PDB file of all heavy atoms in Angstrom:
ATOM      1  N   VAL A  14      -0.055 -14.274 -14.162  1.00  0.00           N
ATOM      2  CA  VAL A  14      -0.183 -14.133 -12.707  1.00  0.00           C
ATOM      3  C   VAL A  14      -1.612 -13.709 -12.368  1.00  0.00           C
ATOM      4  O   VAL A  14      -2.396 -13.361 -13.243  1.00  0.00           O
ATOM      5  CB  VAL A  14       0.842 -13.111 -12.144  1.00  0.00           C
ATOM      6  CG1 VAL A  14       2.267 -13.551 -12.452  1.00  0.00           C
ATOM      7  CG2 VAL A  14       0.584 -11.704 -12.657  1.00  0.00           C
ATOM      8  N   GLY A  15      -1.919 -13.701 -11.081  1.00  0.00           N
ATOM      9  CA  GLY A  15      -3.245 -13.313 -10.642  1.00  0.00           C
ATOM     10  C   GLY A  15      -3.457 -11.807 -10.689  1.00  0.00           C
ATOM     11  O   GLY A  15      -2.512 -11.021 -10.761  1.00  0.00           O
ATOM     12  N   PHE A  16      -4.735 -11.441 -10.640  1.00  0.00           N
ATOM     13  CA  PHE A  16      -5.135 -10.036 -10.618  1.00  0.00           C
ATOM     14  C   PHE A  16      -5.948  -9.779  -9.355  1.00  0.00           C
ATOM     15  O   PHE A  16      -6.861 -10.540  -9.027  1.00  0.00           O
ATOM     16  CB  PHE A  16      -5.980  -9.684 -11.842  1.00  0.00           C
ATOM     17  CG  PHE A  16      -6.510  -8.283 -11.804  1.00  0.00           C
ATOM     18  CD1 PHE A  16      -5.682  -7.220 -12.091  1.00  0.00           C
ATOM     19  CD2 PHE A  16      -7.830  -8.034 -11.447  1.00  0.00           C
ATOM     20  CE1 PHE A  16      -6.158  -5.907 -12.022  1.00  0.00           C
ATOM     21  CE2 PHE A  16      -8.316  -6.736 -11.388  1.00  0.00           C
ATOM     22  CZ  PHE A  16      -7.486  -5.675 -11.683  1.00  0.00           C
ATOM     23  N   VAL A  17      -5.618  -8.702  -8.639  1.00  0.00           N
ATOM     24  CA  VAL A  17      -6.326  -8.319  -7.421  1.00  0.00           C
ATOM     25  C   VAL A  17      -6.989  -6.964  -7.642  1.00  0.00           C
ATOM     26  O   VAL A  17      -6.294  -5.976  -7.914  1.00  0.00           O
ATOM     27  CB  VAL A  17      -5.353  -8.242  -6.220  1.00  0.00           C
ATOM     28  CG1 VAL A  17      -6.052  -7.656  -4.995  1.00  0.00           C
ATOM     29  CG2 VAL A  17      -4.784  -9.616  -5.910  1.00  0.00           C
ATOM     30  N   PRO A  18      -8.317  -6.909  -7.501  1.00  0.00           N
ATOM     31  CA  PRO A  18      -8.998  -5.615  -7.626  1.00  0.00           C
ATOM     32  C   PRO A  18      -8.979  -4.842  -6.309  1.00  0.00           C
ATOM     33  O   PRO A  18      -9.201  -5.410  -5.242  1.00  0.00           O
ATOM     34  CB  PRO A  18     -10.428  -6.012  -7.993  1.00  0.00           C
ATOM     35  CG  PRO A  18     -10.619  -7.353  -7.363  1.00  0.00           C
ATOM     36  CD  PRO A  18      -9.259  -8.021  -7.395  1.00  0.00           C
ATOM     37  N   VAL A  19      -8.699  -3.559  -6.403  1.00  0.00           N
ATOM     38  CA  VAL A  19      -8.865  -2.635  -5.292  1.00  0.00           C
ATOM     39  C   VAL A  19     -10.165  -1.901  -5.574  1.00  0.00           C
ATOM     40  O   VAL A  19     -10.332  -1.316  -6.643  1.00  0.00           O
ATOM     41  CB  VAL A  19      -7.673  -1.663  -5.174  1.00  0.00           C
ATOM     42  CG1 VAL A  19      -7.968  -0.549  -4.185  1.00  0.00           C
ATOM     43  CG2 VAL A  19      -6.419  -2.422  -4.773  1.00  0.00           C
ATOM     44  N   ARG A  20     -11.097  -1.984  -4.616  1.00  0.00           N
ATOM     45  CA  ARG A  20     -12.448  -1.474  -4.853  1.00  0.00           C
ATOM     46  C   ARG A  20     -12.748  -0.248  -3.999  1.00  0.00           C
ATOM     47  O   ARG A  20     -12.081   0.011  -3.002  1.00  0.00           O
ATOM     48  CB  ARG A  20     -13.483  -2.557  -4.528  1.00  0.00           C
ATOM     49  CG  ARG A  20     -13.387  -3.861  -5.302  1.00  0.00           C
ATOM     50  CD  ARG A  20     -13.711  -3.753  -6.774  1.00  0.00           C
ATOM     51  NE  ARG A  20     -14.895  -3.010  -7.102  1.00  0.00           N
ATOM     52  CZ  ARG A  20     -16.105  -3.535  -7.313  1.00  0.00           C
ATOM     53  NH1 ARG A  20     -16.304  -4.827  -7.185  1.00  0.00           N
ATOM     54  NH2 ARG A  20     -17.118  -2.755  -7.657  1.00  0.00           N
ATOM     55  N   LYS A  21     -13.785   0.452  -4.394  1.00  0.00           N
ATOM     56  CA  LYS A  21     -14.290   1.560  -3.604  1.00  0.00           C
ATOM     57  C   LYS A  21     -15.056   1.011  -2.398  1.00  0.00           C
ATOM     58  O   LYS A  21     -15.423  -0.167  -2.363  1.00  0.00           O
ATOM     59  CB  LYS A  21     -15.179   2.442  -4.474  1.00  0.00           C
ATOM     60  CG  LYS A  21     -14.389   3.118  -5.580  1.00  0.00           C
ATOM     61  CD  LYS A  21     -15.271   3.895  -6.520  1.00  0.00           C
ATOM     62  CE  LYS A  21     -14.416   4.472  -7.656  1.00  0.00           C
ATOM     63  NZ  LYS A  21     -15.218   4.971  -8.754  1.00  0.00           N
ATOM     64  N   LEU A  22     -15.305   1.874  -1.442  1.00  0.00           N
ATOM     65  CA  LEU A  22     -15.938   1.526  -0.175  1.00  0.00           C
ATOM     66  C   LEU A  22     -17.219   0.703  -0.370  1.00  0.00           C
ATOM     67  O   LEU A  22     -18.087   1.066  -1.151  1.00  0.00           O
ATOM     68  CB  LEU A  22     -16.273   2.817   0.582  1.00  0.00           C
ATOM     69  CG  LEU A  22     -16.907   2.676   1.957  1.00  0.00           C
ATOM     70  CD1 LEU A  22     -15.935   2.035   2.929  1.00  0.00           C
ATOM     71  CD2 LEU A  22     -17.325   4.051   2.469  1.00  0.00           C
ATOM     72  N   GLY A  23     -17.281  -0.437   0.342  1.00  0.00           N
ATOM     73  CA  GLY A  23     -18.498  -1.230   0.397  1.00  0.00           C
ATOM     74  C   GLY A  23     -18.748  -2.178  -0.753  1.00  0.00           C
ATOM     75  O   GLY A  23     -19.828  -2.751  -0.854  1.00  0.00           O
ATOM     76  N   LYS A  24     -17.776  -2.403  -1.624  1.00  0.00           N
ATOM     77  CA  LYS A  24     -17.988  -3.241  -2.807  1.00  0.00           C
ATOM     78  C   LYS A  24     -17.465  -4.670  -2.659  1.00  0.00           C
ATOM     79  O   LYS A  24     -17.754  -5.505  -3.500  1.00  0.00           O
ATOM     80  CB  LYS A  24     -17.322  -2.605  -4.037  1.00  0.00           C
ATOM     81  CG  LYS A  24     -17.835  -1.228  -4.384  1.00  0.00           C
ATOM     82  CD  LYS A  24     -19.229  -1.297  -4.927  1.00  0.00           C
ATOM     83  CE  LYS A  24     -19.693   0.078  -5.371  1.00  0.00           C
ATOM     84  NZ  LYS A  24     -21.044   0.044  -5.895  1.00  0.00           N
ATOM     85  N   LEU A  25     -16.679  -4.939  -1.635  1.00  0.00           N
ATOM     86  CA  LEU A  25     -16.095  -6.279  -1.473  1.00  0.00           C
ATOM     87  C   LEU A  25     -16.855  -7.063  -0.410  1.00  0.00           C
ATOM     88  O   LEU A  25     -17.177  -6.526   0.651  1.00  0.00           O
ATOM     89  CB  LEU A  25     -14.613  -6.169  -1.109  1.00  0.00           C
ATOM     90  CG  LEU A  25     -13.719  -5.623  -2.219  1.00  0.00           C
ATOM     91  CD1 LEU A  25     -12.301  -5.397  -1.688  1.00  0.00           C
ATOM     92  CD2 LEU A  25     -13.690  -6.562  -3.412  1.00  0.00           C
ATOM     93  N   PRO A  26     -17.105  -8.362  -0.654  1.00  0.00           N
ATOM     94  CA  PRO A  26     -17.980  -9.140   0.228  1.00  0.00           C
ATOM     95  C   PRO A  26     -17.308  -9.799   1.431  1.00  0.00           C
ATOM     96  O   PRO A  26     -17.997 -10.215   2.357  1.00  0.00           O
ATOM     97  CB  PRO A  26     -18.514 -10.220  -0.711  1.00  0.00           C
ATOM     98  CG  PRO A  26     -17.402 -10.441  -1.685  1.00  0.00           C
ATOM     99  CD  PRO A  26     -16.799  -9.072  -1.896  1.00  0.00           C
ATOM    100  N   ALA A  27     -15.997  -9.922   1.449  1.00  0.00           N
ATOM    101  CA  ALA A  27     -15.321 -10.642   2.537  1.00  0.00           C
ATOM    102  C   ALA A  27     -14.522  -9.660   3.393  1.00  0.00           C
ATOM    103  O   ALA A  27     -14.625  -8.442   3.227  1.00  0.00           O
ATOM    104  CB  ALA A  27     -14.420 -11.732   1.953  1.00  0.00           C
ATOM    105  N   ASP A  28     -13.707 -10.192   4.303  1.00  0.00           N
ATOM    106  CA  ASP A  28     -12.900  -9.349   5.193  1.00  0.00           C
ATOM    107  C   ASP A  28     -11.970  -8.461   4.375  1.00  0.00           C
ATOM    108  O   ASP A  28     -11.349  -8.914   3.408  1.00  0.00           O
ATOM    109  CB  ASP A  28     -12.073 -10.211   6.138  1.00  0.00           C
ATOM    110  CG  ASP A  28     -12.936 -10.964   7.139  1.00  0.00           C
ATOM    111  OD1 ASP A  28     -14.073 -10.515   7.408  1.00  0.00           O
ATOM    112  OD2 ASP A  28     -12.474 -11.988   7.654  1.00  0.00           O
ATOM    113  N   ILE A  29     -11.854  -7.200   4.801  1.00  0.00           N
ATOM    114  CA  ILE A  29     -11.098  -6.216   4.013  1.00  0.00           C
ATOM    115  C   ILE A  29     -10.109  -5.446   4.884  1.00  0.00           C
ATOM    116  O   ILE A  29     -10.239  -5.386   6.100  1.00  0.00           O
ATOM    117  CB  ILE A  29     -12.041  -5.211   3.304  1.00  0.00           C
ATOM    118  CG1 ILE A  29     -13.022  -4.519   4.291  1.00  0.00           C
ATOM    119  CG2 ILE A  29     -12.847  -5.874   2.229  1.00  0.00           C
ATOM    120  CD1 ILE A  29     -12.600  -3.161   4.672  1.00  0.00           C
ATOM    121  N   VAL A  30      -9.117  -4.859   4.195  1.00  0.00           N
ATOM    122  CA  VAL A  30      -8.315  -3.776   4.741  1.00  0.00           C
ATOM    123  C   VAL A  30      -8.754  -2.540   3.972  1.00  0.00           C
ATOM    124  O   VAL A  30      -9.193  -2.639   2.822  1.00  0.00           O
ATOM    125  CB  VAL A  30      -6.789  -4.018   4.592  1.00  0.00           C
ATOM    126  CG1 VAL A  30      -6.341  -5.137   5.503  1.00  0.00           C
ATOM    127  CG2 VAL A  30      -6.391  -4.276   3.162  1.00  0.00           C
ATOM    128  N   SER A  31      -8.660  -1.362   4.596  1.00  0.00           N
ATOM    129  CA  SER A  31      -9.120  -0.155   3.913  1.00  0.00           C
ATOM    130  C   SER A  31      -8.196   1.016   4.217  1.00  0.00           C
ATOM    131  O   SER A  31      -7.423   0.988   5.177  1.00  0.00           O
ATOM    132  CB  SER A  31     -10.560   0.180   4.307  1.00  0.00           C
ATOM    133  OG  SER A  31     -10.636   0.537   5.662  1.00  0.00           O
ATOM    134  N   VAL A  32      -8.313   2.029   3.368  1.00  0.00           N
ATOM    135  CA  VAL A  32      -7.544   3.255   3.541  1.00  0.00           C
ATOM    136  C   VAL A  32      -8.348   4.408   2.939  1.00  0.00           C
ATOM    137  O   VAL A  32      -8.975   4.259   1.893  1.00  0.00           O
ATOM    138  CB  VAL A  32      -6.143   3.148   2.882  1.00  0.00           C
ATOM    139  CG1 VAL A  32      -6.235   2.976   1.381  1.00  0.00           C
ATOM    140  CG2 VAL A  32      -5.281   4.348   3.224  1.00  0.00           C
ATOM    141  N   GLU A  33      -8.345   5.544   3.633  1.00  0.00           N
ATOM    142  CA  GLU A  33      -8.940   6.759   3.083  1.00  0.00           C
ATOM    143  C   GLU A  33      -7.813   7.556   2.444  1.00  0.00           C
ATOM    144  O   GLU A  33      -6.706   7.620   2.981  1.00  0.00           O
ATOM    145  CB  GLU A  33      -9.626   7.587   4.157  1.00  0.00           C
ATOM    146  CG  GLU A  33     -10.390   8.758   3.567  1.00  0.00           C
ATOM    147  CD  GLU A  33     -11.289   9.461   4.567  1.00  0.00           C
ATOM    148  OE1 GLU A  33     -11.657   8.848   5.581  1.00  0.00           O
ATOM    149  OE2 GLU A  33     -11.595  10.643   4.314  1.00  0.00           O
ATOM    150  N   TYR A  34      -8.074   8.157   1.292  1.00  0.00           N
ATOM    151  CA  TYR A  34      -7.032   8.879   0.569  1.00  0.00           C
ATOM    152  C   TYR A  34      -7.621  10.106  -0.106  1.00  0.00           C
ATOM    153  O   TYR A  34      -8.838  10.234  -0.256  1.00  0.00           O
ATOM    154  CB  TYR A  34      -6.368   7.961  -0.467  1.00  0.00           C
ATOM    155  CG  TYR A  34      -7.271   7.611  -1.626  1.00  0.00           C
ATOM    156  CD1 TYR A  34      -7.119   8.233  -2.862  1.00  0.00           C
ATOM    157  CD2 TYR A  34      -8.291   6.680  -1.483  1.00  0.00           C
ATOM    158  CE1 TYR A  34      -7.963   7.932  -3.915  1.00  0.00           C
ATOM    159  CE2 TYR A  34      -9.134   6.377  -2.535  1.00  0.00           C
ATOM    160  CZ  TYR A  34      -8.967   7.006  -3.745  1.00  0.00           C
ATOM    161  OH  TYR A  34      -9.807   6.724  -4.787  1.00  0.00           O
ATOM    162  N   GLU A  35      -6.731  11.016  -0.506  1.00  0.00           N
ATOM    163  CA  GLU A  35      -7.131  12.259  -1.157  1.00  0.00           C
ATOM    164  C   GLU A  35      -7.025  12.127  -2.667  1.00  0.00           C
ATOM    165  O   GLU A  35      -6.043  11.594  -3.184  1.00  0.00           O
ATOM    166  CB  GLU A  35      -6.261  13.422  -0.684  1.00  0.00           C
ATOM    167  CG  GLU A  35      -6.422  13.753   0.787  1.00  0.00           C
ATOM    168  CD  GLU A  35      -7.831  14.143   1.171  1.00  0.00           C
ATOM    169  OE1 GLU A  35      -8.463  14.929   0.428  1.00  0.00           O
ATOM    170  OE2 GLU A  35      -8.319  13.652   2.207  1.00  0.00           O
ATOM    171  N   LEU A  36      -8.033  12.606  -3.362  1.00  0.00           N
ATOM    172  CA  LEU A  36      -8.042  12.702  -4.828  1.00  0.00           C
ATOM    173  C   LEU A  36      -7.717  14.137  -5.216  1.00  0.00           C
ATOM    174  O   LEU A  36      -7.702  15.028  -4.369  1.00  0.00           O
ATOM    175  CB  LEU A  36      -9.439  12.375  -5.370  1.00  0.00           C
ATOM    176  CG  LEU A  36     -10.011  11.007  -5.112  1.00  0.00           C
ATOM    177  CD1 LEU A  36     -11.518  11.064  -5.227  1.00  0.00           C
ATOM    178  CD2 LEU A  36      -9.454  10.051  -6.138  1.00  0.00           C
ATOM    179  N   GLU A  37      -7.547  14.354  -6.523  1.00  0.00           N
ATOM    180  CA  GLU A  37      -7.335  15.728  -6.973  1.00  0.00           C
ATOM    181  C   GLU A  37      -8.585  16.577  -6.816  1.00  0.00           C
ATOM    182  O   GLU A  37      -8.536  17.790  -6.842  1.00  0.00           O
ATOM    183  CB  GLU A  37      -6.819  15.775  -8.425  1.00  0.00           C
ATOM    184  CG  GLU A  37      -7.673  15.081  -9.430  1.00  0.00           C
ATOM    185  CD  GLU A  37      -7.319  13.614  -9.638  1.00  0.00           C
ATOM    186  OE1 GLU A  37      -6.712  12.976  -8.754  1.00  0.00           O
ATOM    187  OE2 GLU A  37      -7.688  13.079 -10.686  1.00  0.00           O
ATOM    188  N   TYR A  38      -9.754  15.937  -6.581  1.00  0.00           N
ATOM    189  CA  TYR A  38     -10.996  16.695  -6.427  1.00  0.00           C
ATOM    190  C   TYR A  38     -11.871  16.139  -5.303  1.00  0.00           C
ATOM    191  O   TYR A  38     -13.080  16.118  -5.394  1.00  0.00           O
ATOM    192  CB  TYR A  38     -11.768  16.748  -7.751  1.00  0.00           C
ATOM    193  CG  TYR A  38     -11.893  15.410  -8.450  1.00  0.00           C
ATOM    194  CD1 TYR A  38     -12.900  14.522  -8.123  1.00  0.00           C
ATOM    195  CD2 TYR A  38     -10.984  15.036  -9.430  1.00  0.00           C
ATOM    196  CE1 TYR A  38     -13.005  13.301  -8.745  1.00  0.00           C
ATOM    197  CE2 TYR A  38     -11.090  13.808 -10.068  1.00  0.00           C
ATOM    198  CZ  TYR A  38     -12.104  12.955  -9.723  1.00  0.00           C
ATOM    199  OH  TYR A  38     -12.204  11.738 -10.346  1.00  0.00           O
TER     200      TYR A  38
END
């Protein structure tokens, strides 16, 4: 099957959806 990368802010070149989330640090 295909693989979809989820990237950090500003790394994808086309239209995106985004979400801010909390890390342990």
